[in-house]
Every structure is written in structure tokens, then in C-alpha cells.
Amino acid sequence: MSGNRCCKPTVKPALVCVILLAMPVRSAASPRAPHQAPGSRLTDNARVRAALDWFTPNISWVNDQQARITEIPAPPFQEAQRAALVKDLLAEAGLSSQIDKAGNVIGELRGANEKEIVVVAAHLDTVFPPGTDVKVHRNGSRMDAPGISDNGSGLAALLAFARALQFAHVKPQRTILFVGDVGEEGEGNLRGMRAIVDAYRGKLKAVVVLDGSGTDHVTTKALASRRLEALITGPGGHSWSDFGMPNPINALVRGSVRFINSKVPATPRTSFNIGQIEGGTSVNSIPHEARIKVDIRSESEDELARLESALRECISAGVRDEMESSRDRSKGELEWKVELLGSRPGGELAADSALLSALRAADEYVGNQSRIERSSTDANIPLSEGIEAIAIGAGGSGGGAHSLQEWYDAAGREAGLKRALLTVLGVSGVAEGKSR
């Protein structure tokens, strides 16, 4: 009926019609304002612009630090030497830096509000064992070495942010902690990030994880996973004189074949991987033990539980089958156990979170489009605790992660650095006045 009144040639209804027609226009525009405002407000600040401008003339320095860090080995549980270098470099950038009991490096940029904290973190460790050749080979903007991208690029970005903010005298509203954390890879079980969340839980408002290269994705969904070890032990003996004795490796093979035939759903996406097999002392000895390490991942906690149960059942069946087929049990039987080495919890960032809005505003500023992903990163821990967190690449491009052929190309990395720094500042805020 109001539409009919609008059509009548009277002054008052015509005015009402104009108002009504105008209202939808304002309503449609308002949801975009929060998305656009954080980036525009930040880049209106001269000091923020100066920090962003710092990257381009200093890219060679950033690349050099990435190579320097990568050439210090950091196998799981052996990150101390690399941590010491990162601590010194954060201190050179003017931050108060320390190494905590877990082995994490923590550099503090004090904010106007010291009761609220934003963490920007990059993991120190790599997947590579001691003795791996980590010499960086450079060819133009490309660098080749194990760990150069994962996570040499994230650590280099962490240092670049500290330098850029120091240069531009940016004081954040919330305190920013620059963290090089331990235990992200392998059996580290995210112990470094667990320690950070435990220590700062009451103040922690957001976590931005820098992991690897690129700008094409943002991890907002934590992929749950479990790492397990199956161990079978027996008496052991000589391959000829004790033939027929139950063999732990045989039992492990029997059980493993059963397990790898487990069916997994496409939805929810689920995976398993036998990543390590160990056992035996010589080719002509019946081993006294054998073990495998298994990684299982799923978007569903129920599927994780099902696969863990399946592994236990398969190992038990493998031992049973080996015992039944053995001809000599007089010297002992096989024993087995499956132990949980680590468990990474799941979680998910709310679609309307302030952190995701800050990331999208940063994407818009640098002309980037990024897709949302589910992955297993340091962000799992804060997300599982209901703390806003994301994991993003630090710019440039890379490939061959977790292999000896890993590479990183620094071409265009400035956009990734700007994107990540704007995201951090988007949730920390920028205070009035100078930081020093």
C-alpha cells in the first residue's frame, strides 16, 4: 500500500517515498564499511605508511636474514642455536627479547594498552634431522635449501616487521609479541605455542602465524590430527638357528598391511600416513623390536578416533597372526603397544571475527585475493581455546616443503610482508604518538 501512496501526486507522501527509497541504499552500504575501514584508517597514518615503505629498499636485508637463519640447523627439539640468533636480531630491532622455559623467543613491542596482547609468530624448527645439509644456494631471487620456505620465510618476515616498526616509530595500541616458537613440526606437538597461550591466556586477543610463503590463502580452520607410535617387541634371535621364532617386524608388516587397507571418507576429509619404520640390528638377526610412526588427520574428531582404534586393532591382529604362524614360542612371545605421541586439536575462526576483517582489509589494500583453508599449524592451539587466530604465508613463492629440494623465490615478497603487517596492526591498533 505504501507503494501506491508514493505514486499519488501529494507533497507529504512523496517525501515519505523518497525517504523509504533512500533507506535500502544506506543499509546495503553499511556492511562494507567495517571491511574497508581498518585498512583505510591504518594507511592514513603516516607512520604506518613509513613502515610499509621500509620493505622495498630493504628486501636484500630480509633475504640475507632468511638465508642466515636457514643455515642454522633446527631439528625438532634442537632449536636453541637458531633461537639465540633470532633473539639477538629482535634485540637489535629495539625489542625487549627473551627465551622462555619452553625455548620460545619472545620480543615485546609495548603498546599503549599493556593488558591486551597480539602475538605474531613463526616457528623455529624444521622437519629435517641432524646432519642435513642446509647450505643455501642462491640464484637471483631464488634460494634453495631444506627449510628455506618452511619456515625461513616466516622467521625473516618476523624480523622485517620488527625493523619496519622500529624505523617508522609505530606504537601499537595493544602490545605486540614477536614470537619464534619451538615444536611446530613432527613430534613437537605444538609445545611452543601451547606455552605461549598458557602464559598469556588472560591477555591474548589474537594470534597471527607466519608459516611458509605465498599470499593465496588464509588458514582459519584448524585441522585436528594425532601422531601415534606402534611398538612390537619379542625375544629376538638368529635368522638360521632360531627360524620359526615370532618376528616383531613380520608382525608389524602384517598389522601395517591391514591398517593401510582402512577405508577413509572423502567427506569429512581424512588421511593417514605411515611416516617412519624402525627395527632390527642386522640382516641375519631376528629383531627384538620394531616400530612405526603414524600420522592421522581428519576434519572430524569421530574419524580420528575411528582410525586410532583401527590402528590398535590392526597391530593386535598382526601380532596374533604372527604368533599363530610361528613354530617356536619356547623363548618368548610378542608384546605390543600403541602410544599417542601428540594430538593437535581442531577449531575454527568465526566468519565475522575482527582478525579476519583485518586480513581482508589488508588483502584489499595490496590487491590480493586469498582463499580460506583448513590446515594443521600453530594456529590450532589458540583456535581450540576460542582465541582469534589465523595462519598465513609471508609472501614470495616456494615449493618442495619438507623435502631436500625445498626452494623459495623472493620475487614480489613485499606484497606479502605488507599484507601480514597490516593484518597484525589491524588487530593491534595504532596508538597516538611515537613508540620511542
Side-chain angles (χ1 to χ4, degrees), residues 128-263:
F128 303 101
T132 302
D133 182 2
V134 291
K135 175 68 177 177
V136 176
H137 299 278
R138 303 176 71 163
N139 183 10
S141 62
R142 177 171 168 137
M143 295 182 277
D144 293 79
I148 189 66
S149 181
D150 183 15
N151 192 29
S153 59
L155 291 165
L158 195 72
L159 299 174
F161 294 170
R163 287 279 180 141
L165 294 175
Q166 176 205 43
F167 168 81
H169 302 294
V170 174
K171 184 180 182 68
Q173 182 64 30
R174 290 171 167 165
T175 291
I176 300 176
L177 297 184
F178 295 75
V179 176
D181 62 279
V182 298
E184 195 275 343
E185 300 285 11
E187 295 171 33
N189 201 31
L190 307 182
R191 73 184 192 282
M193 185 56 71
R194 291 177 195 271
I196 292 295
V197 172
D198 286 346
Y200 299 100
R201 186 187 309 273
K203 298 180 177 181
L204 192 51
K205 299 303 177 183
V207 178
V208 176
V209 172
L210 306 172
D211 198 344
S213 61
T215 59
D216 59 342
H217 71 280
V218 51
T219 297
T220 65
K221 303 175 183 179
L223 177 62
S225 67
R226 297 180 191 177
R227 279 81 186 266
L228 304 123
E229 180 181 70
L231 172 66
I232 302 176
T233 58
H238 192 279
S239 63
W240 172 255
S241 59
D242 294 314
F243 179 71
M245 176 188 293
N247 184 318
I249 287 182
N250 290 355
L252 195 65
V253 170
R254 293 177 191 271
S256 298
V257 169
R258 284 175 177 264
F259 179 70
I260 63 177
N261 286 319
S262 299
K263 302 298 182 183

Side-chain angles (χ1 to χ4, degrees), residues 234-236 241-247 254 286 318-334:
S241 59
D242 294 314
F243 179 71
M245 176 188 293
N247 184 318
R254 293 177 191 271
I286 297 172
V319 169
R320 183 191 65 236
D321 292 348
E322 176 63 13
M323 289 298 299
E324 289 177 352
S325 66
S326 64
R327 300 187 299 187
D328 181 7
R329 307 180 194 176
S330 62
K331 294 182 180 180
E333 297 187 349
L334 299 180

